[in-house]
C-alpha cells in the first residue's frame, strides 16, 4: 500500500504544484505584477548596462545612465502622445454632422422602414401607458420612497478621494516598478545566487542553464519586439500620411506602442485613425484604404515576420502564445496580457529543464512535432496508407535511400515488433504494417537520388567500376516478417551497390547450401535480425553458419539497436560464443560501408571511410 500511495503522490505532485502556483499568482498579483514588469524591464536593459560595464563604466553610473535615458524616453513619448490624443478628442465633436451623414448613407430603405415601424410601436405603447384608467377602476397604491439626506460636502470629499486614488495607484505602481528595476540591475548576481541556493547544490548546473536560457530568450524577444513594433509604426504612419489622414505620425507611434498589448492593442491602433478618417473625409475611400493597409501590415507581421523572429527565439508555438495570452489576461488582467510572452518563456524553460514539469514544454514549446519514424508509425496505426507513404516520400526528398530505411522504416518496424510481442497490436494491423512497408520497399527498387548540379558524376562511376561482380553477399533473415523486410532492404541496397545478392530465410539454410558456399571464400554472409527479440536466434544461426563456413566473412546486423556504453563491440561479439561473427553493425549504412571496404581491400583498392 505504501508503494502505491507513494507512486500516486509522485504522479499527482506536478499537478498539485501547478495548482498551488496558480493560486499564489492570483492572490499575490498586486505584488507580483510590478515585480514582473520590473524583471522584464531589467531583461531589456541588462545588455545595455553590461555593454557600459565592459567599457569600464562603474555599475552605479551605468545603471543610472541607462535608467535615466529609458525613463525619460518613455515618459516623453507618453506625454506627447497623450496630449495629441486629447487634442484629437476635442476636435472630434466638430465633425459630428459629417459622421451622422456617413451613418445615414449606410442604412438601407428596408432598415429605415423597419426603424419607422419600431418608432410607431413605441409611440403607441407610450400612449397606452399614459392613458388614464376608467373611472370604475381604482389605481394601485403607489409605494412611498424613503428620503435620504446626503451631505454635499461629504459626497464631494469622497469623489475627490476616489479621483485621487485613481491617479495615485498607477503612479505608485510605476514607482514600485522603477525601484524594482534599479535593484534588479544593481544586484542581478545576488538574485541569481539566491535562486541557486534555493535550488540546492545538486541542481546548480540545471538552474544555471535554465536561468541563462530564460534571460537570453526574453532579452532577444524584447529587442526583436521593439524593432518589429517600431518598423510597424513607421510603415503604418507613412501609409496614413499617403492616404491623407491628419496626425499620421501620432497614429503610427500609437500603433507601435499599442502592439505591446497583444490583440487588444492592435485592434485599438486601427480603431482610432479609422474613426478620425470617417469623421473628416467626405467619402468612404480613406477608411477602406486604412483598413486595407492595416490588414496588409498585420497579416505580414503575424504570419511571416513574427513567427520567423519569435518562434525560434522564444521556443513557444503560435497556438500556445494565443492560449497563454488568454490565461494571463484572465489571471492578471491587462498587465498579464502585456507580460504573457515573457512569462510563458519562463514556463517553457522550466518545462525543458525540470523533468517533473516536462509536459509544459511539450504543450507550449515549438518542439512538439513527431519525428518522421513516429509519424510514419502513427499513420500506419491509423491504417492510413496514403499519408504514411507521403511521410516517407517527404523524408526521402534529396536523400539517399539508405537514410530512409535507417531513420524511418526500420525504427517503425522495431516499434511494431515491440507492440506486437507485448500484445498491444492485433494481427490485422501488424499484417497491414508488413504489407505496406513491403510495398514501399518494392516500389523504391528503381529510386535514383537527385544529385546537386555542382557534383560531378565521375566519382560514382569510378567507384562502381572498382566493384566487380564476383563479390557476392548472402543475406539470411532470422525469424519473422520484420526480419524478412529488413533483409529485403539490405539485399536491395547490396544490389544497387553492384554486389550479387541472395536472400534466404533461416528455415531454408540447409547444410548443403552452406557447404556449397564454403567453396566461395569471398562470399559475405549477412545475418539480419531486428532486436530486441531476435538476438538468441541470431546467435544460434551465426554459430551454425560459422561451423560450415570457417573462412568466410560473417556480419550480424542488429538493426536499430541502441549503443550500450558499458559494452564494447568486442564484448558484444564475445556473446556469440563459438560462432563469432567478424563484425556487428547496427545500421544499413554501416553494412554497406563494411562490405564495400572488404571488397576494395580484396581488389587491391583502399578507401578511407
Amino acid at each position: 500500500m505504501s508503494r502505491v500511495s507513494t507512486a500516486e503522490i509522485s504522479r499527482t505532485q506536478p499537478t498539485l504544484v501547478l495548482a498551488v502556483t496558480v493560486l499564489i499568482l492570483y492572490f499575490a498579483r498586486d505584488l507580483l505584477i510590478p515585480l514582473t514588469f520590473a524583471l522584464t524591464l531589467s531583461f531589456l536593459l541588462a545588455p545595455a548596462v553590461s555593454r557600459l560595464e565592459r567599457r569600464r563604466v562603474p555599475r552605479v553610473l551605468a545603471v543610472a545612465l541607462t535608467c535615466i535615458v529609458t525613463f525619460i524616453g518613455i515618459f516623453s513619448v507618453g506625454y506627447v502622445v497623450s496630449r495629441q490624443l486629447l487634442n484629437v478628442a476635442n476636435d472630434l465633436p466638430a465633425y459630428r454632422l459629417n459622421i451622422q451623414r456617413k451613418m445615414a448613407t449606410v442604412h438601407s430603405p428596408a432598415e429605415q422602414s423597419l426603424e419607422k415601424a419600431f418608432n410607431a410601436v413605441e409611440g403607441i405603447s407610450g400612449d397606452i401607458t399614459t392613458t388614464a384608467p376608467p373611472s370604475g377602476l381604482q389605481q394601485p397604491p403607489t409605494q412611498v420612497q424613503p428620503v435620504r439626506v446626503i451631505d454635499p460636502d461629504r459626497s464631494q470629499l469622497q469623489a475627490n478621494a476616489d479621483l485621487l486614488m485613481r491617479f495615485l495607484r498607477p503612479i505608485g505602481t510605476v514607482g514600485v516598478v522603477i525601484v524594482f528595476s534599479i535593484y534588479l540591475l544593481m544586484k542581478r548576481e545576488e538574485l541569481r545566487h539566491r535562486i541557486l541556493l534555493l535550488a540546492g547544490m545538486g541542481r546548480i548546473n540545471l538552474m544555471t542553464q535554465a536561468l541563462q536560457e530564460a534571460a537570453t530568450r526574453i532579452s532577444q524577444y524584447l529587442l526583436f519586439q521593439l524593432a518589429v513594433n517600431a518598423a510597424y509604426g513607421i510603415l503604418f504612419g507613412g501609409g496614413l500620411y499617403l492616404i491623407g489622414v491628419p496626425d499620421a505620425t501620432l497614429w503610427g507611434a500609437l500603433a507601435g506602442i499599442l502592439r505591446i498589448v497583444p490583440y487588444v492593442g492592435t485592434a485599438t491602433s486601427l480603431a482610432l485613425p479609422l474613426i478620425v478618417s470617417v469623421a473628416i473625409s467626405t467619402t468612404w475611400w480613406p477608411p477602406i484604404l486604412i483598413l486595407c493597409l492595416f490588414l496588409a501590415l498585420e497579416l505580414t507581421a503575424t504570419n511571416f515576420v513574427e513567427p520567423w523572429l519569435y518562434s525560434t527565439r522564444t521556443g513557444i508555438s503560435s497556438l500556445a502564445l494565443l492560449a497563454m495570452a488568454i490565461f494571463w489576461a484572465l489571471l492578471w488582467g491587462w498587465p498579464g496580457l502585456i507580460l504573457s510572452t515573457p512569462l510563458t518563456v519562463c514556463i517553457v524553460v522550466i518545462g525543458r529543464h525540470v523533468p517533473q514539469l516536462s509536459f509544459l514544454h511539450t504543450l507550449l514549446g515549438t518542439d512538439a512535432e513527431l519525428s518522421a519514424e513516429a509519424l510514419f508509425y502513427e499513420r500506419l496505426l491509423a491504417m492510413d496508407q496514403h499519408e504514411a507513404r507521403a511521410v516517407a516520400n517527404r523524408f526521402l526528398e534529396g536523400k539517399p535511400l539508405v537514410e530512409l530505411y535507417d531513420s524511418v522504416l526500420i525504427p517503425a518496424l522495431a516499434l511494431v515488433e515491440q507492440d506486437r510481442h507485448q500484445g498491444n497490436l492485433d494481427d490485422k494491423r501488424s499484417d497491414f504494417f508488413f504489407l505496406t512497408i513491403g510495398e514501399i520497399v518494392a516500389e523504391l527498387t528503381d529510386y535514383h537520388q537527385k544529385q546537386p548540379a555542382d557534383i560531378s558524376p565521375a566519382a560514382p562511376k569510378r567507384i562502381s567500376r572498382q566493384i566487380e561482380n564476383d563479390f557476392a553477399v548472402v543475406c539470411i533473415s532470422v525469424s519473422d516478417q520484420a526480419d524478412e523486410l529488413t533483409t529485403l532492404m539490405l539485399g536491395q541496397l547490396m544490389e544497387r551497390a553492384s554486389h550479387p545478392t541472395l536472400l534466404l530465410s533461416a528455415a531454408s539454410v540447409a547444410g548443403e547450401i552452406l557447404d556449397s558456399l564454403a567453396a566461395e571464400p569471398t562470399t559475405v554472409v549477412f545475418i539480419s535480425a531486428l532486436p530486441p527479440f531476435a538476438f538468441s536466434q541470431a546467435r544460434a544461426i551465426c554459430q551454425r553458419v560459422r561451423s560450415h563456413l570457417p573462412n568466410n566473412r560473417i556480419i550480424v546486423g542488429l538493426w536499430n539497436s541502441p549503443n550500450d556504453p558499458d559494452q564494447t563491440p568486442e564484448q558484444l561479439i564475445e556473446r556469440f560464443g563459438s560462432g563469432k561473427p567478424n563484425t556487428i553493425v547496427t545500421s544499413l549504412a554501416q553494412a554497406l560501408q563494411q562490405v564495400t571496404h572488404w571488397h576494395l581491400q580484396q581488389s587491391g583498392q583502399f578507401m578511407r571511410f
Side-chain angles (χ1 to χ4, degrees), residues 7 13 18 39 93 106 138 155 164 178 221 225 252 276 424 438 482 514 558 560:
Q13 186 177 4
L18 194 61
L39 189 62
V106 176
Q138 296 182 354
S155 177
L164 183 62
I178 293 175
Y221 164 74
Q225 186 189 42
V276 173
N424 299 326
L514 295 177
L558 298 178
N560 202 48

Side-chain angles (χ1 to χ4, degrees), residues 370-389:
L370 290 174
S371 59
E373 66 272 16
L375 184 58
F376 181 79
Y377 179 64
E378 186 271 335
R379 286 295 83 201
L380 287 181
L381 278 178
M383 302 187 75
D384 187 355
Q385 189 180 73
H386 175 74
E387 184 60 28
R389 289 174 179 269

Side-chain angles (χ1 to χ4, degrees), residues 312-367:
T312 56
R313 289 169 174 84
T314 61
I316 310 172
S317 66
S318 301
L319 180 61
L321 281 175
L322 176 60
M324 294 305 293
I326 297 173
F327 170 78
W328 287 110
L330 293 176
L331 197 65
W332 282 0
W334 68 266
L337 195 61
I338 296 175
L339 298 168
S340 60
T341 301
L343 291 171
T344 308
V345 168
C346 296
I347 293 175
V348 171
V349 171
I350 291 173
R352 183 194 299 271
H353 293 281
V354 179
Q356 293 81 0
L357 300 176
S358 59
F359 66 94
L360 295 174
H361 179 259
T362 303
L363 290 175
L364 305 176
T366 55
D367 303 332

Side-chain angles (χ1 to χ4, degrees), residues 361-431:
H361 179 259
T362 303
L363 290 175
L364 305 176
T366 55
D367 303 332
E369 294 185 359
L370 290 174
S371 59
E373 66 272 16
L375 184 58
F376 181 79
Y377 179 64
E378 186 271 335
R379 286 295 83 201
L380 287 181
L381 278 178
M383 302 187 75
D384 187 355
Q385 189 180 73
H386 175 74
E387 184 60 28
R389 289 174 179 269
V391 171
N393 291 333
R394 286 195 299 268
F395 182 87
L396 191 57
E397 290 180 357
K399 297 177 183 177
L401 187 60
V402 65
E403 191 168 345
L404 172 67
Y405 291 165
D406 279 334
S407 302
V408 179
L409 298 192
I410 291 180
L413 281 173
L415 292 174
V416 173
E417 284 292 279
Q418 183 176 357
D419 286 345
R420 191 169 65 89
H421 283 275
Q422 292 176 355
N424 299 326
L425 194 66
D426 55 28
D427 294 337
K428 180 180 179 181
R429 277 187 166 79
S430 61
D431 292 341

Side-chain angles (χ1 to χ4, degrees), residues 450-599:
K450 295 181 180 179
Q451 297 290 345
D454 58 344
I455 294 181
S456 174
K461 291 181 179 180
R462 177 176 53 83
I463 294 175
S464 63
R465 286 197 301 267
Q466 293 174 353
I467 300 176
E468 301 171 358
N469 290 332
D470 60 348
F471 198 83
V473 178
V474 176
C475 301
I476 303 173
S477 59
V478 170
S479 58
D480 53 16
Q481 287 179 279
D483 295 327
E484 292 177 359
L485 286 173
T486 56
T487 306
L488 179 62
M489 299 177 202
L490 175 64
Q492 185 187 88
L493 294 174
M494 291 297 173
E495 287 285 354
R496 293 169 63 89
S498 301
H499 296 296
T501 306
L502 176 64
L503 304 183
L504 298 174
S505 63
S508 63
V509 180
E512 294 80 4
I513 297 177
L514 295 177
D515 292 336
S516 63
L517 292 176
E520 302 174 1
T522 59
T523 300
V524 177
V525 179
F526 225 114
I527 299 174
S528 176
L530 186 63
F533 306 103
F535 180 81
S536 59
Q537 295 174 333
R539 180 174 179 271
I541 295 176
C542 187
Q543 290 177 348
R544 181 181 176 189
V545 171
R546 178 58 74 191
S547 63
H548 287 270
L549 305 175
N551 298 322
N552 290 72
R553 295 184 177 96
I554 300 176
I555 306 179
V556 175
L558 298 178
W559 314 120
N560 202 48
S561 178
N563 293 324
D564 188 358
D566 298 330
Q567 190 173 39
T568 63
E570 292 77 12
Q571 292 174 339
L572 186 60
I573 293 176
E574 290 293 332
R575 292 178 58 188
F576 281 82
S578 58
K580 296 176 184 177
N582 293 83
T583 186
I584 296 176
V585 295
T586 58
S587 67
L588 294 175
Q590 293 179 1
L592 282 173
Q593 185 180 20
Q594 186 63 59
V595 172
T596 305
H597 178 64
W598 281 344
H599 180 256

Side-chain angles (χ1 to χ4, degrees), residues 42-195:
S42 67
F43 279 130
L44 181 61
L45 300 180
V49 175
S50 300
R51 192 171 291 114
L52 289 175
E53 288 181 345
R54 285 195 294 269
R55 296 186 177 183
R56 301 184 182 278
V57 178
R59 172 165 296 187
V60 176
L61 184 58
V63 173
L65 289 175
T66 304
C67 292
I68 289 173
V69 172
T70 302
F71 292 136
I72 288 177
I74 293 174
F75 291 140
S76 299
V77 172
Y79 176 77
V80 172
V81 169
S82 60
R83 286 295 301 271
Q84 293 189 9
L85 280 176
L86 290 176
N87 294 333
V88 172
N90 293 329
D91 294 338
L92 279 179
Y95 303 105
R96 180 179 179 182
L97 184 61
N98 191 26
I99 295 175
Q100 291 177 349
R101 189 183 301 113
K102 286 277 184 61
M103 294 298 103
T105 59
V106 176
H107 297 294
S108 63
E111 291 175 339
Q112 294 178 356
S113 301
L114 188 61
E115 184 177 356
K116 292 179 180 179
F118 277 121
N119 291 334
V121 172
E122 289 177 358
I124 295 172
S125 300
D127 295 338
I128 293 175
T129 55
T130 56
T131 303
S135 59
L137 299 177
Q138 296 182 354
Q139 292 182 350
T142 59
Q143 295 182 353
V144 179
Q145 298 293 332
V147 178
R148 296 176 58 191
V149 179
I150 300 176
D151 188 359
D153 296 333
R154 183 177 179 83
S155 177
Q156 184 65 29
L157 181 62
Q158 185 177 2
N160 292 334
D162 293 341
L163 183 62
L164 183 62
M165 289 301 298
R166 290 182 181 179
F167 283 100
L168 289 179
R169 182 180 292 274
I171 292 174
T173 302
V174 171
V176 172
V177 170
I178 293 175
V179 172
F180 272 143
S181 301
I182 295 174
Y183 176 81
L184 292 173
L185 290 172
M186 292 289 298
K187 304 291 185 181
R188 55 183 183 271
E189 289 86 359
E190 180 182 346
L191 179 63
R192 183 172 65 246
H193 295 165
R194 291 181 184 276
I195 295 175

